[in-house]
Amino acid sequence: MIVRAAMPLLLILNAFAIAATPSRVGASSDDTGCPTFRRWFTGQPGSQLVLSSTNDFDQKFARPRMPDNILDYSTTPGSNDQTSWYKAMKHYRSAAGSGRCMSAFYDSAHKTALIFSEGGTRSDLTLTTVSTAPAGLPNHPAPSQTRNGVRLGMTVAQVQAIEGPGTLRSDGHSQRLMYSQDIKKTANAVITNYLGFLFINGKLVAADVGGGI
C-alpha cells in the first residue's frame, strides 16, 4: 500500500480564492497571518506552480537529466527548520493543526521572493518574481539559480537544455515545465519530489521544488 499526503497543500491554497482587502502583514516573526499572506501569494506567479503541483501530485512527469533542487530543500517534514534560509524567513502560523503554514523573505535587489509552503506531510519551496512585497517580510538575498544552474529569465529551450525535455503544458498565457523526482521508496511509502518551472511571455518567472509522503 502506498501512503500519500495526509493533508494536501490544495486544502491550504483553497484559501487563496477568498476575496479580501489589500494585504498588510505585521512585523511579528511568528503570528497568525496565514490568510493575509496566502492572499498576497495567490497574486504572484509562483503560486500557480504550487497549485498545479498539488493537483498533479500523483502524476508521473518526465524525469530531469539530473536531480535538481533549490538550495538544500528536503521533502522530509521538519527537516528544513535548521537551514539558514528557513531561519532568515518570516513565519506565518495558523491556529489549525500543527500551526505550520508559510514562511518567506523578499529580495528587494532582484524583486524576487523565496516562499516555503507547508501542509501535513507536504511542502514546497518556491522562487518567484513578485509584483509587490507585503510589509514585514525580511529583506534577504534569494538564490540566483537552482543547483543545476537554471535561472529566472531563461527561455523554455534554455531550461530544457539543462534539465531535459520534461512535461510541457500551456494554457495560452503561460507554460509549465514539470519533472518527477522520486527520492525514496519503501514497502509502505513513497517520498515524492517534483520540480516545476513557470514561463510567462516565454521567460522563466518562477521555479518550485516540492513533495512529501
Side-chain angles (χ1 to χ4, degrees), residues 5 11 29 46 60 70 75 77 105 126 199 204 206:
L11 297 178
S29 62
K60 291 296 182 182
I70 298 174
T75 58
F105 59 68
T126 310
F199 303 82
L204 181 63

Side-chain angles (χ1 to χ4, degrees), residues 67-138:
D68 202 0
N69 203 356
I70 298 174
L71 299 173
D72 54 352
Y73 163 81
S74 170
T75 58
T76 305
S79 60
N80 297 290
D81 292 9
Q82 299 306 311
T83 62
S84 59
W85 54 265
Y86 184 83
K87 291 179 178 180
M89 290 175 163
K90 178 182 174 74
H91 307 295
Y92 298 92
R93 308 290 181 180
S94 65
S98 67
R100 287 180 175 265
C101 173
M102 305 186 81
S103 304
F105 59 68
Y106 173 63
D107 185 337
S108 61
H110 299 97
K111 295 184 178 179
T112 59
L114 188 68
I115 299 165
F116 184 56
S117 312
E118 299 181 87
T121 59
R122 298 275 306 283
S123 65
D124 281 79
L125 184 63
T126 310
L127 176 64
T128 179
T129 58
V130 297
S131 56
T132 59
L137 276 190

Side-chain angles (χ1 to χ4, degrees), residues 6 15 32 34 47 50 52 74 98-99 115 127-129 143 162 165-166 176 180-181 190 206-207:
T32 56
C34 278
S47 67
V50 176
S52 62
S74 170
S98 67
I115 299 165
L127 176 64
T128 179
T129 58
I162 294 172
R176 287 178 290 124
S180 289
Q181 302 187 114
V190 176

Side-chain angles (χ1 to χ4, degrees), residues 51-61 169 176 178:
L51 185 59
S52 62
S53 297
T54 302
N55 286 336
D56 299 334
F57 180 76
D58 287 320
Q59 290 194 29
K60 291 296 182 182
F61 303 111
R169 294 176 175 174
R176 287 178 290 124
M178 304 298 296

Side-chain angles (χ1 to χ4, degrees), residues 32-50:
T32 56
C34 278
T36 302
F37 187 78
R38 288 173 185 155
R39 288 192 291 268
W40 170 80
F41 186 41
T42 192
Q44 314 310 317
S47 67
Q48 297 181 41
L49 278 178
V50 176

